[in-house]
Amino acid sequence: MARVLIVGAGVTGSLCAALLRRQTSRPLYLAVWDKAEDSGGRMTTASSPHNPQCTADLGAQYITCTPHYAKKHQRFYDELLAHGILRPLTSPIEGMVVKEGDCNFVAPQGISSIIKHYLKESGAEVYFRHHVTQINLRNDKWEVSKQTGPPEQFDLIVLTMPVPQILQLQGDITNLISECQRQQLEAVSYSSRYALGLFYEAGTKIDVPWAGQYITSNPCIRFVSIDNKKRNIESSEIGPSLVIHTTVPFGVTHLEHSFEDVQELIFQQLENILPGLPQPIATKCQKWRYSQVTNAAANCPGQMTLHHKPFLACGGDGFTQSNFDGCITSALCVLEALKNYI
């Protein structure tokens, strides 16, 4: 039985796992490892420590589908809509640029429900707090080391974490990346920003006419969302949640600052945008060091194969673009490259 490891439990990794399971007739052992404590990657949904039903999307806020991808990736959208994982965005988002023919969707159970759906479909063994540090060749297999626990062996590997994290891996993999590939990978760049989730007690009122708002005049804050309102799941039993995304310049400037300092600065600026906001009962500050791809890998659409036998490839939005369709494109390209080796 072939042993397959997918590193990264974000959209590309989870979709690779689901597609691999669906398209492979022979039995295989499929594992997904992620260094975080839950799945989602940059489509993560945080929960209030006081009420797990009070949630906030700290990464992607909604999914925009263009007419081109509505046709090209129709089966993916149809599946998620049929399962109730996606629904059309109907709540007002002020300052949102809407292009003709675009459709916008939200995930009522939180944006990470997309990833959880694909992981469930894949039947993969999913492990969190598995931080890969080294990949070595051992007798035509891959030996994968992580920060804790013994190394494990696999026949095929797909890396879907941000490209800079691929370049940080130690072991034989450093010699397997050609000079040309290394230059392509080193040219991939990302923007950085912070997200702050605020959780409130049930019955708290946040009286604004919008569910989300793009801010253009603030040096710190770029986007604010009343998250439960955005997802159309307001309830008297569950408190509201607020999500704030900072600007990229703020994120870059404060990248190595403490969460406490960053949170305090965001609160100060939030007071200018939403004065008199009630006190939250819990907060969650998230640093997105690798937020969105600003420069994707050139001349390797969708994926980059680093080794053929045994197979090792990398995929993700670093090889396409930072949106849901970019991740679908990458997963399909990885599967196409992988199918001759499985």
Side-chain angles (χ1 to χ4, degrees):
M1 193 191 293
R3 287 173 57 83
V4 182
L5 173 64
I6 294 170
V7 183
V11 185
T12 308
S14 62
L15 187 50
C16 276
L19 291 172
L20 191 54
R21 183 68 75 193
R22 289 172 191 176
Q23 294 178 19
T24 309
S25 52
R26 61 179 279 198
L28 55 90
Y29 171 79
L30 186 52
V32 177
W33 291 4
D34 199 288
K35 69 185 179 71
E37 296 191 358
D38 203 353
S39 59
R42 282 164 284 163
M43 280 190 165
T44 191
T45 304
S47 301
S48 165
H50 304 282
N51 183 352
Q53 288 179 290
C54 181
T55 58
D57 288 334
L58 294 183
Q61 293 297 298
Y62 52 86
I63 287 172
T64 300
C65 178
T66 63
H68 169 74
Y69 284 116
K71 202 170 171 180
K72 192 175 180 184
H73 294 157
Q74 183 183 352
R75 63 186 169 115
F76 298 97
Y77 286 98
D78 285 352
E79 177 188 337
L80 294 173
L81 287 161
H83 282 86
I85 292 160
L86 288 185
R87 280 191 199 147
L89 168 64
T90 55
S91 309
I93 309 286
E94 286 188 3
M96 183 165 84
V97 178
V98 182
K99 292 179 182 157
E100 193 181 343
D102 284 3
C103 294
N104 292 295
F105 300 100
V106 288
Q109 295 104 27
I111 203 83
S112 70
S113 62
I114 298 169
I115 285 84
K116 287 176 169 55
H117 167 74
Y118 288 136
L119 289 174
K120 188 179 172 190
E121 286 286 300
S122 76
E125 301 266 344
V126 185
Y127 295 93
F128 302 115
R129 294 179 289 277
H130 273 46
H131 188 167
V132 175
T133 53
Q134 280 195 40
I135 298 177
N136 290 296
L137 265 174
R138 294 277 186 272
N139 307 321
D140 290 332
K141 290 186 187 295
W142 296 113
E143 186 178 85
V144 186
S145 303
K146 48 195 188 294
Q147 273 187 351
T148 54
E152 293 186 39
Q153 290 202 340
F154 294 91
D155 300 293
L156 300 94
I157 298 178
V158 178
L159 305 172
T160 69
M161 65 274 228
V163 171
Q165 294 176 353
I166 294 170
L167 289 167
Q168 287 164 14
L169 293 171
Q170 301 294 306
D172 294 337
I173 188 172
T174 55
N175 306 317
L176 299 174
I177 301 172
S178 71
E179 192 50 45
C180 175
Q181 287 175 327
R182 187 171 293 280
Q183 285 174 2
Q184 287 170 297
L185 293 173
E186 285 174 348
V188 178
S189 58
Y190 295 77
S191 60
S192 302
R193 56 162 53 86
Y194 282 89
L196 180 62
L198 309 179
F199 303 99
Y200 293 91
E201 274 182 311
T204 306
K205 293 277 183 286
I206 301 172
D207 196 19
V208 291
W210 40 264
Q213 187 180 49
Y214 283 93
I215 314 289
T216 54
S217 55
N218 191 285
C220 167
I221 295 172
R222 178 68 183 110
F223 181 78
V224 180
S225 164
I226 318 294
D227 206 54
N228 54 321
K229 191 174 176 181
K230 176 200 77 186
R231 291 188 269 139
N232 221 5
I233 54 160
E234 289 173 290
S235 156
S236 57
E237 276 107 70
I238 302 162
S241 56
L242 204 87
V243 172
I244 300 103
H245 277 192
T246 72
T247 64
V248 170
F250 177 90
V252 172
T253 303
H254 298 88
L255 200 55
E256 306 307 336
H257 291 214
S258 72
F259 280 116
E260 291 79 10
D261 289 352
V262 168
Q263 196 163 300
E264 184 55 40
L265 290 168
I266 296 171
F267 271 122
Q268 285 170 14
Q269 294 296 330
L270 188 61
E271 182 60 29
N272 298 328
I273 295 163
L274 291 171
L277 204 60
Q279 276 294 109
I281 52 168
T283 63
K284 168 72 174 166
C285 191
Q286 174 78 46
K287 180 198 293 187
W288 294 119
R289 184 181 293 276
Y290 307 114
S291 175
Q292 288 180 300
V293 174
T294 50
N295 191 45
N299 306 319
C300 44
Q303 63 90 32
M304 182 186 280
T305 301
L306 300 180
H307 200 267
H308 290 277
K309 286 189 175 179
F311 183 83
L312 171 62
C314 34
D317 60 350
F319 302 89
T320 51
Q321 73 266 0
S322 278
N323 55 28
F324 183 53
D325 288 296
C327 294
I328 295 175
T329 300
S330 179
L332 291 169
C333 291
V334 167
L335 260 287
E336 189 59 33
L338 186 83
K339 68 179 185 186
N340 297 327
Y341 301 94
I342 197 78

